Amino acid sequence: MKVSASKILYRYPLRQRKIFSLVLVFLFFFAPVMAQNSNSHHYKIRKVVIDAGHGGKDPGTLGRHSQEKDIALSIALKLGKYIEDHVKDVQVIYTRKTDVFIELHERGNIANTNHADLFISIHCNSSPNKKIYGAETYVMGLNVGERNMEVARKENAVITLENDYSQHYEGFDPNSPESYIVFNLMQNTYLEQSLKFATLVQKQFKERAGRRDHGVRQAGFLVLWKTSMPSVLVETGYLSNPNEEKFLMSDDGQSIIASAIYRAFKNYKTMIESQSNFTMAPETTDQAFFSVQVLTSRKKIPPDDKIFKKYKLVLEFQEGNSYKYTVGRSTSYEEIKNLRKQILSDFPDAFVVGVRNHKIIPLQAVLKKKE
Ligand SMILES: [Zn+2]
């Protein structure tokens, strides 16, 4: 039997009719939005930068029989090959494919000028305590313990081999704890995605590669400082531990590490690409405010896209080849955090950013100003 919606409505008392109408209105307005969510404007991971740590005159940390730069390069090349062979829609960019010295800031530049979607820096660790072994993955962040600081200090020390390093790193001195304060001002735009990928890497290390899991950590790594995409630094193991050194020097060991990172990459790609996308309405103001970033897209999204009907204010920002979209506007951090919570069901990756003069600016910059 065919019944129209209006006929159905009259069979119910007023209150229920009202509820039913609301449901219909909801379906009418939001069903197309939901359908659209699942199939259009999808952000894709297209480029990944693989960064083999150290190289050339900088050997990195030294094991009894090995140098960090060689192991990092072997793992990086294997990882790149897995992605090239099996994930055809992704372009792999290497910061180095041979034993050459590349300055830290140049590694980030390579990723930025190529508009990469992910930056993976590969390293090996060491400790005066030869019993310590295991793998850990770092993201750029402020949740810094003393041990993390020590790892960052060692990895950053390489800049003293560079020419003009004080110019390239704004006077940063890798050996001065005070220098690390500079990271307080850094933009945390990619922290959440970086943490996601780092977590997937550690999960693979632990569950599939049989490595001791030292977890995901944060510290101030210069190589991750200015990359404008999710970025991690993987410490694949300790060359100071004889067993782990042997493992990391072996072709098998390197394949196991590379394939663990490769599986994490595939999982990350699937996760990111299955999430919903967004847009729009340019906005000029001199006053800094908070907004919630919901989407980055390679494609500009049309202003009349139904997806934004649900939201009163959507802002668009062009950055290089991509477009970023934020929702809402407030000078109250509490208010914007509440808005983010409400948006999470549609955009699980939404995060709070600062905005001023048409630009997304570090959240810290807005928070600081208000203090
Ligand atoms: Zn290193």
Side-chain angles (χ1 to χ4, degrees):
M1 190 178 70
K2 216 175 146 190
V3 202
S4 73
S6 56
K7 277 183 190 159
I8 295 174
L9 287 183
Y10 293 119
R11 291 191 200 156
Y12 296 93
L14 188 63
R15 196 163 160 272
Q16 284 181 25
R17 262 194 257 160
K18 269 192 184 157
I19 291 167
F20 198 13
S21 304
L22 281 175
V23 169
L24 281 182
V25 167
F26 178 85
L27 287 175
F28 181 77
F29 282 107
F30 296 131
V33 172
M34 290 184 234
Q36 190 132 11
N37 258 349
S38 62
N39 58 29
S40 73
H41 305 308
H42 265 214
Y43 172 71
K44 294 252 189 259
I45 304 274
R46 295 189 194 282
K47 287 182 192 167
V48 57
V49 168
I50 301 177
D51 174 48
H54 312 277
K57 66 184 174 186
D58 166 28
T61 195
L62 302 174
R64 280 183 66 193
H65 309 286
S66 62
Q67 307 185 74
E68 179 183 359
K69 65 173 183 177
D70 300 323
I71 295 172
L73 181 59
S74 299
I75 294 172
L77 293 175
K78 277 177 188 284
L79 168 62
K81 179 112 179 57
Y82 292 144
I83 297 174
E84 283 161 350
D85 288 351
H86 303 292
V87 194
K88 300 284 184 195
D89 61 336
V90 168
Q91 183 192 349
V92 179
I93 296 153
Y94 303 85
T95 55
R96 67 179 181 102
K97 292 183 91 169
T98 56
D99 184 17
V100 290
F101 182 76
I102 314 256
E103 301 189 342
L104 285 189
H105 65 98
E106 180 53 23
R107 297 168 190 261
N109 282 347
I110 292 170
N112 292 346
T113 52
N114 280 290
H115 301 286
D117 301 292
L118 184 65
F119 180 86
I120 308 171
S121 190
I122 294 175
H123 291 256
C124 306
N125 218 332
S126 74
S127 167
N129 180 351
K130 295 194 183 339
K131 285 182 189 158
I132 292 180
Y133 65 97
E136 57 215 46
T137 301
Y138 284 88
V139 303
M140 185 76 186
L142 302 173
N143 188 8
V144 180
E146 204 169 294
R147 207 183 71 80
N148 302 358
M149 178 77 116
E150 181 55 24
V151 176
R153 193 193 60 73
K154 266 192 293 190
E155 298 292 6
N156 293 339
V158 61
I159 65 169
T160 56
L161 297 178
E162 298 179 6
N163 301 322
D164 304 329
Y165 79 81
S166 61
Q167 276 176 34
H168 288 136
Y169 305 99
E170 299 172 22
F172 185 89
D173 173 358
N175 293 314
S176 140
E178 289 76 37
S179 263
Y180 286 79
I181 291 165
V182 71
F183 298 126
N184 286 334
L185 300 170
M186 73 164 237
Q187 189 162 359
N188 257 0
T189 313
Y190 301 98
L191 182 62
E192 282 189 49
Q193 291 101 322
S194 303
L195 285 170
K196 268 187 187 159
F197 179 63
T199 304
L200 292 169
V201 171
Q202 284 305 124
K203 188 174 151 73
Q204 286 292 332
F205 278 161
K206 184 182 171 192
E207 292 174 8
R208 298 283 298 279
R211 313 319 299 154
R212 174 175 276 188
D213 176 22
H214 291 299
V216 173
R217 293 157 176 266
Q218 299 188 15
F221 288 95
L222 288 173
V223 70
L224 306 180
W225 186 13
K226 291 191 173 167
T227 55
S228 51
M229 74 269 331
S231 305
V232 304
L233 184 146
V234 186
E235 292 284 0
T236 54
Y238 284 76
L239 298 184
S240 46
N241 177 280
N243 282 336
E244 200 150 67
E245 183 188 22
K246 206 171 151 195
F247 173 82
L248 289 168
M249 284 177 73
S250 70
D251 189 59
D252 262 11
Q254 291 166 2
S255 299
I256 288 171
I257 294 290
S259 56
I261 303 172
Y262 162 73
R263 284 189 301 271
F265 170 74
K266 276 210 312 186
N267 293 344
Y268 175 76
K269 187 173 187 291
T270 307
M271 183 196 271
I272 293 295
E273 292 179 359
S274 66
Q275 285 161 5
S276 49
N277 287 353
F278 230 62
T279 251
M280 141 139 311
E283 173 92 5
T284 327
T285 176
D286 293 328
Q287 203 204 347
F289 58 89
F290 299 104
S291 191
V292 182
Q293 186 172 328
V294 292
L295 167 73
T296 303
S297 171
R298 298 259 152 171
K299 283 185 196 156
K300 202 176 166 80
I301 295 169
D304 56 349
D305 198 302
K306 288 193 183 78
I307 205 167
F308 303 116
K309 268 196 174 162
K310 201 166 162 184
Y311 297 99
K312 273 190 210 148
L313 177 67
V314 183
L315 304 175
E316 180 189 72
F317 302 88
Q318 190 176 357
E319 277 185 27
N321 280 350
S322 61
Y323 296 91
K324 290 180 177 171
Y325 298 96
T326 72
V327 169
R329 170 191 172 146
S330 175
T331 51
S332 155
Y333 189 48
E334 286 309 309
E335 198 175 291
I336 210 77
K337 277 198 295 188
N338 281 333
L339 176 66
R340 175 181 167 268
K341 269 186 211 152
Q342 293 163 31
I343 293 175
L344 281 178
S345 56
D346 285 332
F347 301 99
D349 256 0
F351 56 97
V352 177
V353 293
V355 176
R356 183 168 49 214
N357 289 336
H358 269 310
K359 286 201 172 71
I360 294 180
I361 60 170
L363 182 55
Q364 298 290 342
V366 188
L367 284 170
K368 235 188 150 82
K369 224 180 158 188
K370 296 182 69 67
E371 274 161 13

